[in-house]
Amino acid sequence: MWFKNLIVYRVPVRWDIDADSLAQALQPQAFAPGSGLEETTLGWVPPREGDARLVYSVNRQLLICLRQEKKLLPAKVVAQVVKQRAEKIEEEEGFKPGRKRLKELKESVRDELLPRAFSLSADTRVWIDPTHGWLVVDAASPAKAEAIFTLLVKAIEQFPARMLKVTDSVPGAMTAWLVTGEAPAGFTVDQDVELKARDGKATVRYANQSLEAEDVARHTKAGKQCTKLALTWSSKVSFVLTDKLEIKRVRPLDVVKESIGSVGAEGGADERFESDMMLMTGELARMLDDVVDALGGQLQAKAA
């Protein structure tokens, strides 16, 4: 249930949207299996298995899910069939097909093979917190989050979400935490660090290893700054913060897992899913508030 990667947007606090109105807006984009000639198909699916609703809601926390289905048609397979067809044309007509004909042949082969290709589907979940003003995509790839954002813009009239921006430089702040040896209030620095040169490709990575003050000083004097830093928030959640303000490798720690386990032992599947979502959204909303505070607060848009 817990999101593993967070690409974070802001929406107005107390945004006036509920599960029914959101589901109605998403319905025209509901997932339908693609036709034989469609290489990629996108659409919204119920975020909880066995539940037909496009939006799962508890305590005004909204969960939605986008499915991408992609046909697996390797380029080498297409090239091999095109080559065979081109050789047959040369044998029958006495000359090799030209560039234009080869292009048409390739398109024809793809159209022929796509209906027989295997399909691979992947789901990406989105959490919307209109109470505290968060919209979070569980994606490691910014491109995937951007595709979801674009669909939501099309679906929801005057969609108000904006990418989260903070006042401080994220790599500058992370570098300062390493140099001073002091994490912001509520956080501890863990043992995974990446330092990268500002004006080059030189990169140093530390995994499961503490970075000594002498090492930090040497690397920063050489012009490197921190681009990835493992942190723990409030002894509850560990994660990696990147210089792009992406939050990766999110993992609830034992104190949170114990809460999840106690509910799992007492309730059924519905109760467990609801409790997991309440716990995740509650903890992550507070964590995101603290991350933003540690980075100087949210950057306010300048008045026109």
Coordinates of all heavy atoms in Angstrom, one line a residue, residues 34-92:
G34 N -6.7 -1.9 -25.4 CA -6.4 -1.3 -26.7 C -6.8 -2.2 -27.9 O -6.9 -3.4 -27.7
S35 N -7.0 -1.6 -29.0 CA -7.3 -2.4 -30.2 C -6.0 -3.1 -30.7 O -4.9 -2.8 -30.1 CB -7.9 -1.5 -31.3 OG -6.9 -0.6 -31.8
G36 N -6.1 -3.9 -31.6 CA -4.9 -4.7 -32.1 C -3.8 -3.8 -32.6 O -2.7 -4.2 -32.6
L37 N -4.1 -2.6 -33.1 CA -3.1 -1.7 -33.7 C -2.6 -0.7 -32.8 O -1.7 0.1 -33.2 CB -3.7 -1.1 -35.0 CG -4.1 -2.1 -36.1 CD1 -4.7 -1.3 -37.3 CD2 -2.9 -2.9 -36.5
E38 N -3.1 -0.6 -31.5 CA -2.6 0.4 -30.6 C -1.4 -0.2 -29.8 O -1.5 -1.2 -29.1 CB -3.7 0.8 -29.6 CG -4.8 1.6 -30.3 CD -5.9 2.0 -29.3 OE1 -6.5 1.1 -28.7 OE2 -6.1 3.2 -29.1
E39 N -0.3 0.5 -29.9 CA 0.9 0.1 -29.2 C 0.9 0.4 -27.7 O 1.3 -0.4 -26.9 CB 2.2 0.7 -29.9 CG 3.5 0.1 -29.4 CD 4.6 0.6 -30.2 OE1 4.4 1.3 -31.2 OE2 5.8 0.2 -29.8
T40 N 0.3 1.5 -27.4 CA 0.2 1.9 -25.9 C -1.2 2.4 -25.6 O -1.8 3.2 -26.4 CB 1.2 3.0 -25.6 OG1 2.5 2.6 -25.9 CG2 1.2 3.4 -24.1
T41 N -1.7 2.0 -24.5 CA -3.1 2.4 -24.1 C -3.0 2.9 -22.6 O -2.4 2.2 -21.8 CB -4.1 1.2 -24.2 OG1 -4.0 0.6 -25.5 CG2 -5.5 1.7 -23.9
L42 N -3.6 4.0 -22.4 CA -3.6 4.6 -21.0 C -5.1 4.7 -20.6 O -6.0 5.0 -21.4 CB -3.0 6.0 -21.0 CG -1.5 6.1 -21.2 CD1 -1.1 7.5 -21.3 CD2 -0.7 5.4 -20.0
G43 N -5.3 4.6 -19.2 CA -6.6 4.9 -18.7 C -6.7 4.6 -17.2 O -5.8 3.9 -16.7
W44 N -7.7 5.2 -16.6 CA -7.8 5.1 -15.1 C -8.5 3.7 -14.8 O -9.5 3.3 -15.4 CB -8.6 6.2 -14.6 CG -8.0 7.6 -14.9 CD1 -8.4 8.5 -15.8 CD2 -6.9 8.1 -14.2 NE1 -7.6 9.6 -15.8 CE2 -6.6 9.4 -14.8 CE3 -6.0 7.7 -13.2 CZ2 -5.6 10.2 -14.4 CZ3 -5.0 8.5 -12.8 CH2 -4.8 9.8 -13.4
V45 N -8.0 3.1 -13.7 CA -8.6 1.9 -13.2 C -8.9 2.0 -11.7 O -8.3 2.9 -11.1 CB -7.7 0.7 -13.5 CG1 -7.5 0.4 -15.0 CG2 -6.3 0.8 -12.8
P46 N -9.7 1.2 -11.2 CA -9.9 1.2 -9.7 C -8.6 1.0 -9.0 O -7.9 0.1 -9.3 CB -10.9 0.1 -9.4 CG -11.7 0.0 -10.7 CD -10.7 0.2 -11.8
P47 N -8.3 1.8 -8.0 CA -7.0 1.7 -7.3 C -7.0 0.5 -6.3 O -5.9 0.1 -5.9 CB -6.9 3.0 -6.5 CG -8.3 3.4 -6.3 CD -9.0 3.0 -7.5
R48 N -8.1 -0.1 -6.0 CA -8.2 -1.2 -5.1 C -8.8 -2.4 -5.8 O -9.9 -2.3 -6.4 CB -9.0 -0.9 -3.9 CG -9.0 -2.0 -2.8 CD -9.8 -1.6 -1.6 NE -9.6 -2.6 -0.5 CZ -10.2 -3.8 -0.5 NH1 -11.0 -4.2 -1.5 NH2 -10.0 -4.6 0.5
E49 N -8.1 -3.5 -5.8 CA -8.5 -4.7 -6.5 C -9.9 -5.2 -5.9 O -10.0 -5.2 -4.7 CB -7.5 -5.8 -6.4 CG -7.8 -7.0 -7.3 CD -6.6 -8.0 -7.2 OE1 -5.5 -7.7 -6.7 OE2 -6.8 -9.1 -7.7
G50 N -10.8 -5.5 -6.8 CA -12.1 -6.0 -6.3 C -13.1 -4.9 -6.1 O -14.2 -5.2 -5.7
D51 N -12.7 -3.7 -6.3 CA -13.6 -2.5 -6.0 C -13.7 -1.8 -7.4 O -12.8 -1.5 -8.0 CB -12.9 -1.6 -5.0 CG -13.9 -0.5 -4.5 OD1 -14.7 0.0 -5.3 OD2 -13.8 0.0 -3.4
A52 N -15.0 -1.6 -7.8 CA -15.2 -1.0 -9.1 C -15.1 0.5 -9.2 O -15.1 1.1 -10.2 CB -16.7 -1.4 -9.6
R53 N -14.9 1.2 -8.0 CA -14.9 2.6 -8.0 C -13.5 3.1 -8.5 O -12.5 2.6 -8.2 CB -15.1 3.1 -6.6 CG -16.5 2.9 -6.1 CD -16.6 3.2 -4.6 NE -15.8 2.3 -3.8 CZ -15.6 2.4 -2.4 NH1 -16.3 3.4 -1.8 NH2 -14.9 1.6 -1.8
L54 N -13.6 4.2 -9.4 CA -12.3 4.7 -9.9 C -11.6 5.5 -8.8 O -10.4 5.8 -9.0 CB -12.6 5.6 -11.1 CG -12.9 5.0 -12.4 CD1 -13.2 6.0 -13.5 CD2 -11.8 4.0 -12.8
V55 N -12.3 6.0 -7.8 CA -11.6 6.7 -6.7 C -11.9 6.1 -5.4 O -13.1 5.8 -5.0 CB -12.2 8.2 -6.7 CG1 -11.5 9.0 -5.6 CG2 -12.0 8.9 -8.1
Y56 N -10.9 5.8 -4.7 CA -11.0 5.2 -3.3 C -10.8 6.4 -2.4 O -9.9 7.2 -2.5 CB -10.0 4.1 -3.0 CG -10.2 3.5 -1.7 CD1 -11.0 2.4 -1.5 CD2 -9.5 4.0 -0.6 CE1 -11.2 1.8 -0.3 CE2 -9.7 3.4 0.7 CZ -10.5 2.3 0.8 OH -10.7 1.7 2.0
S57 N -11.7 6.5 -1.4 CA -11.7 7.7 -0.5 C -11.8 7.3 1.0 O -12.7 6.4 1.3 CB -12.8 8.7 -0.9 OG -12.8 9.7 0.0
V58 N -11.0 7.9 1.8 CA -11.2 7.7 3.3 C -10.7 9.0 3.9 O -9.6 9.5 3.6 CB -10.4 6.5 3.8 CG1 -9.0 6.5 3.4 CG2 -10.6 6.3 5.3
N59 N -11.5 9.6 4.8 CA -11.2 10.8 5.5 C -10.7 11.9 4.5 O -9.8 12.6 4.7 CB -10.1 10.6 6.5 CG -10.6 9.9 7.8 OD1 -11.8 9.7 7.9 ND2 -9.7 9.7 8.7
R60 N -11.4 12.0 3.4 CA -11.1 13.0 2.3 C -9.8 12.8 1.7 O -9.3 13.7 1.0 CB -11.2 14.5 2.9 CG -12.6 14.9 3.2 CD -12.8 16.4 3.0 NE -12.9 16.7 1.6 CZ -12.2 17.8 1.1 NH1 -11.5 18.6 1.9 NH2 -12.3 18.1 -0.2
Q61 N -9.1 11.7 1.9 CA -7.9 11.3 1.2 C -8.3 10.5 0.0 O -9.1 9.5 0.1 CB -7.0 10.5 2.1 CG -6.6 11.2 3.3 CD -5.9 12.6 3.1 OE1 -4.8 12.6 2.4 NE2 -6.4 13.6 3.6
L62 N -7.9 10.9 -1.2 CA -8.3 10.3 -2.5 C -7.2 9.5 -3.1 O -6.1 10.0 -3.2 CB -8.8 11.4 -3.4 CG -9.9 12.4 -2.8 CD1 -10.2 13.4 -3.9 CD2 -11.1 11.6 -2.4
L63 N -7.5 8.3 -3.6 CA -6.6 7.4 -4.2 C -7.1 7.1 -5.6 O -8.2 6.6 -5.7 CB -6.3 6.2 -3.4 CG -5.2 5.3 -3.8 CD1 -3.8 6.0 -3.6 CD2 -5.2 3.9 -3.0
I64 N -6.3 7.3 -6.7 CA -6.6 6.9 -8.0 C -5.4 6.2 -8.6 O -4.4 6.1 -8.1 CB -7.0 8.1 -8.9 CG1 -5.9 9.1 -8.9 CG2 -8.3 8.8 -8.3 CD1 -6.1 10.4 -9.8
C65 N -5.7 5.6 -9.8 CA -4.6 4.7 -10.4 C -4.7 4.7 -11.9 O -5.8 4.6 -12.5 CB -4.8 3.3 -9.9 SG -3.6 2.1 -10.5
L66 N -3.6 5.0 -12.5 CA -3.5 5.0 -14.0 C -2.8 3.7 -14.5 O -1.8 3.3 -14.0 CB -2.7 6.2 -14.5 CG -2.7 6.3 -16.0 CD1 -4.0 6.9 -16.5 CD2 -1.6 7.2 -16.5
R67 N -3.5 3.1 -15.5 CA -2.9 1.8 -16.1 C -2.3 2.2 -17.4 O -3.0 2.8 -18.3 CB -3.9 0.7 -16.1 CG -3.4 -0.5 -16.9 CD -4.4 -1.7 -16.6 NE -4.3 -2.0 -15.2 CZ -5.2 -2.9 -14.6 NH1 -6.2 -3.4 -15.3 NH2 -5.1 -3.1 -13.3
Q68 N -1.1 1.7 -17.7 CA -0.5 1.8 -19.0 C -0.3 0.3 -19.5 O 0.3 -0.5 -18.9 CB 0.8 2.5 -19.0 CG 1.4 2.6 -20.4 CD 2.8 3.2 -20.4 OE1 3.7 2.7 -19.8 NE2 3.0 4.4 -21.0
E69 N -0.9 0.1 -20.7 CA -0.7 -1.2 -21.3 C 0.1 -1.0 -22.6 O -0.2 -0.2 -23.4 CB -2.1 -1.8 -21.7 CG -2.0 -3.2 -22.3 CD -3.3 -3.8 -22.6 OE1 -3.9 -3.4 -23.7 OE2 -3.9 -4.6 -21.9
K70 N 1.2 -1.8 -22.7 CA 2.1 -1.6 -23.9 C 2.3 -2.9 -24.5 O 2.6 -3.9 -23.9 CB 3.4 -1.0 -23.4 CG 4.3 -0.6 -24.5 CD 5.5 0.2 -24.0 CE 6.4 0.7 -25.1 NZ 7.5 1.5 -24.6
K71 N 2.2 -2.9 -25.9 CA 2.5 -4.1 -26.6 C 4.0 -4.3 -26.7 O 4.8 -3.3 -27.0 CB 1.9 -4.0 -28.0 CG 0.4 -3.9 -28.1 CD -0.2 -5.3 -27.8 CE -1.7 -5.3 -27.9 NZ -2.2 -5.1 -29.3
L72 N 4.5 -5.5 -26.5 CA 5.9 -5.8 -26.6 C 6.2 -6.4 -28.0 O 5.9 -7.5 -28.3 CB 6.3 -6.9 -25.5 CG 6.0 -6.4 -24.1 CD1 6.4 -7.6 -23.1 CD2 6.7 -5.2 -23.7
L73 N 6.8 -5.5 -28.8 CA 7.1 -5.9 -30.2 C 8.6 -5.4 -30.4 O 8.8 -4.3 -30.8 CB 6.2 -5.2 -31.2 CG 6.4 -5.6 -32.7 CD1 6.2 -7.1 -32.9 CD2 5.3 -4.9 -33.5
P74 N 9.5 -6.3 -30.2 CA 10.9 -6.0 -30.3 C 11.3 -5.5 -31.7 O 10.8 -6.0 -32.7 CB 11.7 -7.3 -30.0 CG 10.7 -8.1 -29.2 CD 9.3 -7.7 -29.7
A75 N 12.1 -4.4 -31.8 CA 12.5 -3.8 -33.1 C 13.2 -4.9 -33.9 O 13.1 -4.9 -35.1 CB 13.4 -2.6 -32.8
K76 N 14.0 -5.8 -33.3 CA 14.7 -6.8 -34.0 C 13.8 -7.7 -34.8 O 14.1 -8.2 -35.9 CB 15.6 -7.6 -33.1 CG 16.9 -6.8 -32.6 CD 17.8 -7.7 -31.8 CE 19.0 -7.0 -31.3 NZ 19.9 -7.8 -30.5
V77 N 12.6 -8.0 -34.1 CA 11.7 -8.9 -34.8 C 11.1 -8.2 -36.0 O 11.0 -8.8 -37.1 CB 10.5 -9.3 -33.8 CG1 9.4 -10.0 -34.5 CG2 11.1 -10.1 -32.7
V78 N 10.7 -6.9 -35.9 CA 10.2 -6.2 -37.0 C 11.3 -6.1 -38.1 O 11.0 -6.4 -39.3 CB 9.8 -4.8 -36.6 CG1 9.4 -4.0 -37.8 CG2 8.7 -4.9 -35.6
A79 N 12.5 -5.8 -37.8 CA 13.6 -5.7 -38.8 C 13.8 -7.0 -39.5 O 14.1 -7.0 -40.7 CB 14.9 -5.2 -38.1
Q80 N 13.7 -8.1 -38.8 CA 14.0 -9.4 -39.4 C 12.9 -9.7 -40.4 O 13.2 -10.2 -41.5 CB 14.0 -10.5 -38.3 CG 14.3 -11.9 -38.9 CD 14.4 -12.9 -37.7 OE1 14.2 -12.6 -36.6 NE2 14.6 -14.2 -38.1
V81 N 11.6 -9.5 -40.1 CA 10.5 -9.7 -41.0 C 10.6 -8.8 -42.2 O 10.4 -9.2 -43.4 CB 9.2 -9.6 -40.3 CG1 8.0 -9.8 -41.3 CG2 9.1 -10.6 -39.2
V82 N 11.0 -7.5 -42.0 CA 11.1 -6.6 -43.1 C 12.2 -7.0 -44.0 O 12.1 -7.0 -45.3 CB 11.4 -5.2 -42.5 CG1 11.8 -4.2 -43.7 CG2 10.2 -4.6 -41.8
K83 N 13.3 -7.5 -43.5 CA 14.4 -8.0 -44.3 C 14.0 -9.1 -45.2 O 14.3 -9.2 -46.4 CB 15.6 -8.4 -43.4 CG 16.8 -8.9 -44.2 CD 17.9 -9.3 -43.2 CE 19.1 -9.8 -44.0 NZ 20.2 -10.3 -43.1
Q84 N 13.2 -10.1 -44.6 CA 12.8 -11.2 -45.3 C 11.8 -10.8 -46.5 O 11.9 -11.3 -47.6 CB 12.0 -12.2 -44.4 CG 13.0 -12.9 -43.4 CD 12.2 -13.6 -42.3 OE1 11.0 -13.5 -42.2 NE2 12.9 -14.4 -41.5
R85 N 10.9 -9.8 -46.2 CA 10.0 -9.4 -47.2 C 10.7 -8.6 -48.3 O 10.4 -8.7 -49.5 CB 8.9 -8.5 -46.5 CG 8.1 -9.1 -45.4 CD 7.0 -10.0 -45.9 NE 6.3 -10.7 -44.9 CZ 5.3 -10.2 -44.1 NH1 4.9 -9.0 -44.3 NH2 4.8 -10.9 -43.2
A86 N 11.7 -7.8 -47.9 CA 12.5 -7.0 -48.9 C 13.3 -8.0 -49.8 O 13.3 -7.7 -51.0 CB 13.4 -6.1 -48.2
E87 N 13.8 -9.0 -49.3 CA 14.6 -10.0 -50.1 C 13.6 -10.7 -51.1 O 14.0 -11.0 -52.2 CB 15.2 -11.0 -49.2 CG 16.4 -10.5 -48.4 CD 17.0 -11.4 -47.4 OE1 16.3 -12.5 -47.1 OE2 18.1 -11.2 -46.8
K88 N 12.4 -11.0 -50.6 CA 11.4 -11.6 -51.5 C 11.0 -10.7 -52.6 O 10.9 -11.1 -53.8 CB 10.2 -12.0 -50.7 CG 9.2 -12.8 -51.5 CD 8.0 -13.3 -50.6 CE 7.1 -14.2 -51.5 NZ 5.9 -14.6 -50.7
I89 N 10.9 -9.4 -52.3 CA 10.5 -8.4 -53.3 C 11.7 -8.3 -54.4 O 11.4 -8.3 -55.6 CB 10.3 -7.0 -52.7 CG1 8.9 -7.1 -51.9 CG2 10.2 -5.9 -53.8 CD1 8.7 -5.8 -51.1
E90 N 12.9 -8.3 -53.9 CA 14.1 -8.2 -54.8 C 14.1 -9.4 -55.7 O 14.4 -9.3 -56.9 CB 15.3 -8.1 -54.0 CG 16.6 -7.9 -54.8 CD 17.9 -7.8 -54.0 OE1 17.8 -7.9 -52.8 OE2 18.9 -7.6 -54.6
E91 N 13.8 -10.6 -55.1 CA 13.8 -11.8 -55.9 C 12.8 -11.8 -57.0 O 13.0 -12.2 -58.1 CB 13.7 -13.0 -55.0 CG 13.7 -14.4 -55.7 CD 13.5 -15.5 -54.7 OE1 13.7 -15.3 -53.5 OE2 13.1 -16.6 -55.2
E92 N 11.6 -11.3 -56.7 CA 10.5 -11.3 -57.6 C 10.5 -10.2 -58.6 O 10.1 -10.4 -59.8 CB 9.1 -11.2 -56.8 CG 8.8 -12.4 -56.0 CD 7.6 -12.2 -55.1 OE1 7.1 -11.1 -55.1 OE2 7.1 -13.2 -54.5

